[in-house]
Amino acid sequence: MSPDLHFILLLLLRMAIAATFVVTASIITERAGPVIGALVATLPISAGPSYVFLALDHDAAFIAQGALASLPINAATIFMCLTYVVLAQRYDLVVSCGSAVAVWIVLASIVRQFEWSLTAGLAANLIAFGICIPLLAGYRHVKMPLVTRRWYDVPMRAALVATLVAIVVSTSGWVGPRISGIIALYPVVFSSIMVILHPRIGGPPTAAVLANSAWGLLGFGTAIAVLHVAVVSFGSSVGLCLALGTCVVWNLTLWGIGRRAMRKTSQP
C-alpha cells in the first residue's frame, strides 16, 4: 500500500470514529432534555478524538503545548454560548448562530496572538465563567418540546465533526501545537445543536441547552488543565485518560447535585 493511500484510509477511519461519537451524543442531547443534554454536550466528544489522534502522531510535548492553547479557547466558547443564548430569545438562527460563531472566531484570533501559560489560561476561564454563569442562569429552565429528526440530521453532524478531525489531523504537522489546540476546540457539538434544534423547536428551548452547559463547560476547562499537567508528568496516554475521567466525574457530580435539588423541591 502506498503511503498516500495509507494516509487517506487512516484519515477516513479517524473521521468516521469521531463522527460516530458526535452523532450519538447529539441524539442523546435531543431526547434527554436541556439539563442532561447539556452535560452530554460538554463531554470531550469532538475535542477528545482530535486529541487522541494528535497523540498518535505527535509526542507528549506537542499535546501539552496544544492543551495550553486550548485552555483560553474554552473561555471563548462560553462567550459564544452567552451570545447565542441572549440573541436566540428574539432573533432567528442566522443572526443568533452567526453572531455566536463570529464572537468565537474573534476571540480565538485574539487568543492566537499570545503565548499562554497554565496560570493565565486558568485565570481567563475563571473570569469568563464568573461573568457568564450568572448571566446564563435566567435562561436555563425551559421545557424541551418534542423533536422530530430529519433525514439530513445525522449526515450533517457527521460531516461537521469529520471535517474538523480531518483539518486537525492533516494540518497539525505544519501549523504546530498552538494552532492545532485552537482548532481542536472549535465547538462542533454546540454549533450542531444550534443549527438543528433552533429551526425546529425555537430559540429559547435551544438556548436552554446551551445555558445549562455552563457548569459542564467549566469542568471541561478543568480537564484541559489536567491534560496539560498530566501529559508533562506521565505522558499522553495517561494524560488523556485523566482528562476524560475529570470530565466524567465533574458531569456526574453536577447530575447528582441536580437530582438532589429536584428531590428537595418536590418534597411537601
Side-chain angles (χ1 to χ4, degrees):
M1 184 182 297
S2 68
D4 289 342
L5 180 59
H6 179 268
F7 173 80
I8 292 172
L9 292 176
L10 184 60
L11 181 62
L12 290 174
L13 176 62
R14 292 174 173 182
M15 291 167 65
I17 293 171
T20 300
F21 278 106
V22 171
V23 169
T24 302
S26 298
I27 293 172
I28 293 172
T29 299
E30 286 181 3
R31 296 178 178 275
V35 176
I36 301 300
L39 295 179
V40 173
T42 53
L43 290 172
I45 297 162
S46 60
S50 295
Y51 263 106
V52 168
F53 299 143
L54 286 174
L56 293 174
D57 296 335
H58 301 281
D59 59 14
F62 187 102
I63 302 303
Q65 292 177 38
L68 281 182
S70 293
L71 191 54
I73 290 297
N74 192 59
T77 300
I78 191 61
F79 279 113
M80 172 187 173
C81 290
L82 178 62
T83 302
Y84 173 81
V85 167
V86 173
L87 292 178
Q89 307 303 312
R90 298 181 57 187
Y91 297 101
D92 62 11
L93 172 66
V94 174
V95 174
S96 304
C97 183
S99 299
V101 172
V103 166
W104 189 91
I105 292 173
V106 169
L107 293 176
S109 300
I110 295 172
V111 168
R112 181 178 176 272
Q113 305 303 316
F114 300 95
E115 292 285 347
W116 290 84
S117 66
L118 179 61
T119 301
L122 289 172
N125 275 264
L126 290 175
I127 293 170
F129 283 87
I131 294 170
C132 294
I133 286 178
L135 294 176
L136 289 167
Y139 301 99
R140 293 171 53 194
H141 304 292
V142 177
K143 185 177 180 180
M144 180 65 69
L146 180 65
V147 179
T148 303
R149 197 183 316 139
R150 307 286 173 79
W151 67 267
Y152 53 80
D153 287 357
V154 170
M156 184 173 69
R157 292 171 185 152
L160 283 171
V161 69
T163 301
L164 177 67
V165 169
I167 293 172
V168 171
V169 172
S170 60
T171 63
S172 62
W174 59 275
V175 301
R178 186 167 59 170
I179 303 301
S180 296
I182 291 173
I183 297 173
L185 245 71
Y186 177 76
V188 170
V189 175
F190 288 160
S191 297
S192 67
I193 288 171
M194 296 177 201
V195 171
I196 291 171
L197 294 186
H198 190 128
R200 238 166 271 181
I201 64 176
T206 308
V209 176
L210 271 67
N212 277 283
S213 72
W215 284 104
L217 201 58
L218 179 60
F220 182 69
T222 304
I224 297 171
V226 169
L227 174 63
H228 169 73
V229 174
V231 162
V232 171
S233 302
F234 307 111
S236 297
S237 298
V238 174
L240 289 166
C241 290
L242 289 175
L244 175 60
T246 300
C247 277
V248 172
V249 171
W250 180 280
N251 282 10
L252 286 175
T253 301
L254 292 177
W255 178 77
I257 292 172
R259 293 277 293 180
R260 284 196 295 271
M262 289 178 61
R263 284 199 295 267
K264 286 181 181 179
T265 56
S266 64
Q267 290 175 355

